[in-house]
Amino acid sequence: MKREIKQEVRLRRHKRVKAKIFGTVRRPRLCVFRSNKHIYIQLIDDNKGRTILSASDAELKESSFKKSKIQNSKSQTKSEPQTSKVKNEKQELDRTGKIAVAYEAGKLIAQKALEKKIEKVVFDRGGYQYHGRVKAVADGAREAGLKF
């Protein structure tokens, strides 16, 4: 019962956000949906009500990607001095598991969008908190060249 209430609350939040955000052909809406296992991203033109592009973590070769990131994070020792260089490396290695896959999915949708000459988007977090996987998607898309 509690799960149904959480879902309804998220959908109400999403409706409120969607009322304020509107995507066009030149500046589509980047919509994020996350399930327990996967993350799905779409670029939507709200004028026509059509999806321009879509990407998901299923399109990535996630098994090899996850293993390499996890091995890198395990090889790091705790006795290293905390310098700025080490902190930057640690921030890169902190993205493991689902967050790392979401970051790469954000890069993937940005690459696809840039191929279709779409540079600016409106970010729609889908009623989710801007934290964790949703933030990783936005960061990955920004790094790959999309402007929000």
Short mmCIF file of all heavy atoms in Angstrom, two decimals, residues 92-115:
data_model
loop_
_atom_site.label_atom_id
_atom_site.label_comp_id
_atom_site.label_asym_id
_atom_site.label_seq_id
_atom_site.Cartn_x
_atom_site.Cartn_y
_atom_site.Cartn_z
N GLU A 92 36.02 10.39 -9.41
CA GLU A 92 35.79 9.64 -10.64
C GLU A 92 35.45 8.19 -10.34
O GLU A 92 34.63 7.59 -11.00
CB GLU A 92 37.04 9.70 -11.55
CG GLU A 92 37.29 11.06 -12.14
CD GLU A 92 36.21 11.47 -13.12
OE1 GLU A 92 35.73 10.62 -13.88
OE2 GLU A 92 35.84 12.66 -13.10
N LEU A 93 36.09 7.63 -9.31
CA LEU A 93 35.87 6.23 -8.99
C LEU A 93 34.61 5.99 -8.16
O LEU A 93 34.18 4.87 -8.02
CB LEU A 93 37.09 5.67 -8.25
CG LEU A 93 38.37 5.62 -9.06
CD1 LEU A 93 39.52 5.16 -8.18
CD2 LEU A 93 38.24 4.72 -10.26
N ASP A 94 34.04 7.05 -7.59
CA ASP A 94 32.85 6.89 -6.77
C ASP A 94 31.65 6.46 -7.59
O ASP A 94 30.70 5.91 -7.04
CB ASP A 94 32.51 8.19 -6.03
CG ASP A 94 33.38 8.37 -4.80
OD1 ASP A 94 34.02 7.40 -4.38
OD2 ASP A 94 33.40 9.49 -4.28
N ARG A 95 31.66 6.69 -8.87
CA ARG A 95 30.55 6.29 -9.71
C ARG A 95 30.68 4.81 -10.04
O ARG A 95 31.39 4.42 -10.96
CB ARG A 95 30.53 7.10 -11.00
CG ARG A 95 30.18 8.53 -10.78
CD ARG A 95 29.94 9.20 -12.11
NE ARG A 95 29.66 10.60 -11.90
CZ ARG A 95 30.45 11.58 -12.27
NH1 ARG A 95 31.58 11.32 -12.89
NH2 ARG A 95 30.12 12.83 -12.06
N THR A 96 30.01 3.99 -9.27
CA THR A 96 30.01 2.55 -9.54
C THR A 96 28.57 2.07 -9.58
O THR A 96 27.66 2.74 -9.12
CB THR A 96 30.78 1.78 -8.45
OG1 THR A 96 30.17 2.05 -7.19
CG2 THR A 96 32.24 2.16 -8.42
N GLY A 97 28.39 0.90 -10.14
CA GLY A 97 27.06 0.31 -10.17
C GLY A 97 26.08 1.08 -11.01
O GLY A 97 26.39 1.52 -12.12
N LYS A 98 24.89 1.28 -10.48
CA LYS A 98 23.81 1.92 -11.24
C LYS A 98 24.09 3.39 -11.53
O LYS A 98 23.68 3.90 -12.57
CB LYS A 98 22.51 1.79 -10.46
CG LYS A 98 21.98 0.38 -10.37
CD LYS A 98 20.59 0.38 -9.80
CE LYS A 98 20.55 -0.36 -8.51
NZ LYS A 98 19.21 -0.40 -7.94
N ILE A 99 24.78 4.08 -10.64
CA ILE A 99 25.07 5.49 -10.86
C ILE A 99 26.03 5.66 -12.03
O ILE A 99 25.87 6.54 -12.86
CB ILE A 99 25.60 6.15 -9.57
CG1 ILE A 99 24.49 6.18 -8.53
CG2 ILE A 99 26.12 7.55 -9.85
CD1 ILE A 99 24.90 6.74 -7.19
N ALA A 100 27.03 4.79 -12.11
CA ALA A 100 27.98 4.85 -13.23
C ALA A 100 27.29 4.55 -14.55
O ALA A 100 27.56 5.19 -15.57
CB ALA A 100 29.12 3.87 -12.99
N VAL A 101 26.39 3.59 -14.53
CA VAL A 101 25.66 3.25 -15.75
C VAL A 101 24.75 4.40 -16.16
O VAL A 101 24.63 4.72 -17.35
CB VAL A 101 24.86 1.94 -15.54
CG1 VAL A 101 23.96 1.66 -16.71
CG2 VAL A 101 25.82 0.78 -15.33
N ALA A 102 24.12 5.06 -15.20
CA ALA A 102 23.26 6.21 -15.50
C ALA A 102 24.09 7.35 -16.09
O ALA A 102 23.66 8.03 -17.02
CB ALA A 102 22.54 6.68 -14.23
N TYR A 103 25.29 7.56 -15.57
CA TYR A 103 26.19 8.59 -16.09
C TYR A 103 26.54 8.31 -17.55
O TYR A 103 26.48 9.19 -18.39
CB TYR A 103 27.45 8.61 -15.22
CG TYR A 103 28.45 9.67 -15.59
CD1 TYR A 103 28.27 10.99 -15.20
CD2 TYR A 103 29.60 9.36 -16.31
CE1 TYR A 103 29.18 11.96 -15.52
CE2 TYR A 103 30.52 10.33 -16.64
CZ TYR A 103 30.32 11.62 -16.24
OH TYR A 103 31.22 12.58 -16.56
N GLU A 104 26.86 7.06 -17.86
CA GLU A 104 27.18 6.68 -19.24
C GLU A 104 25.96 6.78 -20.15
O GLU A 104 26.07 7.13 -21.32
CB GLU A 104 27.77 5.26 -19.28
CG GLU A 104 29.14 5.17 -18.64
CD GLU A 104 30.18 6.05 -19.33
OE1 GLU A 104 30.21 6.07 -20.58
OE2 GLU A 104 30.96 6.70 -18.62
N ALA A 105 24.77 6.47 -19.62
CA ALA A 105 23.54 6.61 -20.40
C ALA A 105 23.29 8.08 -20.73
O ALA A 105 22.82 8.41 -21.82
CB ALA A 105 22.36 6.01 -19.65
N GLY A 106 23.60 8.97 -19.80
CA GLY A 106 23.49 10.41 -20.06
C GLY A 106 24.43 10.84 -21.16
O GLY A 106 24.08 11.65 -22.04
N LYS A 107 25.65 10.31 -21.15
CA LYS A 107 26.60 10.61 -22.22
C LYS A 107 26.08 10.09 -23.56
O LYS A 107 26.21 10.74 -24.59
CB LYS A 107 27.95 9.97 -21.93
CG LYS A 107 28.80 10.70 -20.94
CD LYS A 107 30.16 10.03 -20.85
CE LYS A 107 31.13 10.80 -20.02
NZ LYS A 107 32.44 10.13 -19.96
N LEU A 108 25.48 8.89 -23.54
CA LEU A 108 24.96 8.28 -24.76
C LEU A 108 23.85 9.12 -25.38
O LEU A 108 23.86 9.37 -26.59
CB LEU A 108 24.46 6.86 -24.46
CG LEU A 108 23.84 6.11 -25.63
CD1 LEU A 108 24.91 5.80 -26.68
CD2 LEU A 108 23.20 4.82 -25.14
N ILE A 109 22.90 9.58 -24.58
CA ILE A 109 21.80 10.38 -25.13
C ILE A 109 22.33 11.72 -25.65
O ILE A 109 21.85 12.22 -26.66
CB ILE A 109 20.66 10.59 -24.09
CG1 ILE A 109 19.39 11.14 -24.76
CG2 ILE A 109 21.06 11.50 -22.98
CD1 ILE A 109 18.58 10.15 -25.47
N ALA A 110 23.35 12.25 -25.00
CA ALA A 110 23.94 13.51 -25.47
C ALA A 110 24.63 13.32 -26.82
O ALA A 110 24.51 14.16 -27.71
CB ALA A 110 24.92 14.05 -24.44
N GLN A 111 25.34 12.21 -26.98
CA GLN A 111 26.00 11.93 -28.25
C GLN A 111 24.97 11.78 -29.37
O GLN A 111 25.14 12.31 -30.47
CB GLN A 111 26.85 10.67 -28.15
CG GLN A 111 28.09 10.85 -27.31
CD GLN A 111 28.78 9.53 -27.00
OE1 GLN A 111 28.29 8.46 -27.37
NE2 GLN A 111 29.90 9.61 -26.30
N LYS A 112 23.89 11.06 -29.09
CA LYS A 112 22.83 10.89 -30.09
C LYS A 112 22.19 12.23 -30.44
O LYS A 112 21.89 12.50 -31.60
CB LYS A 112 21.75 9.94 -29.57
CG LYS A 112 22.15 8.48 -29.55
CD LYS A 112 20.97 7.65 -29.07
CE LYS A 112 21.23 6.17 -29.13
NZ LYS A 112 20.03 5.41 -28.74
N ALA A 113 21.98 13.08 -29.42
CA ALA A 113 21.36 14.38 -29.65
C ALA A 113 22.28 15.28 -30.49
O ALA A 113 21.82 15.97 -31.40
CB ALA A 113 21.04 15.05 -28.33
N LEU A 114 23.56 15.26 -30.19
CA LEU A 114 24.49 16.10 -30.95
C LEU A 114 24.61 15.64 -32.40
O LEU A 114 24.84 16.45 -33.29
CB LEU A 114 25.86 16.10 -30.27
CG LEU A 114 25.90 16.82 -28.91
CD1 LEU A 114 27.25 16.64 -28.23
CD2 LEU A 114 25.57 18.30 -29.06
N GLU A 115 24.44 14.33 -32.64
CA GLU A 115 24.43 13.83 -34.02
C GLU A 115 23.24 14.39 -34.80
O GLU A 115 23.32 14.62 -35.99
CB GLU A 115 24.39 12.30 -34.04
CG GLU A 115 25.69 11.64 -33.65
CD GLU A 115 25.57 10.14 -33.53
OE1 GLU A 115 24.49 9.58 -33.84
OE2 GLU A 115 26.55 9.51 -33.11
#
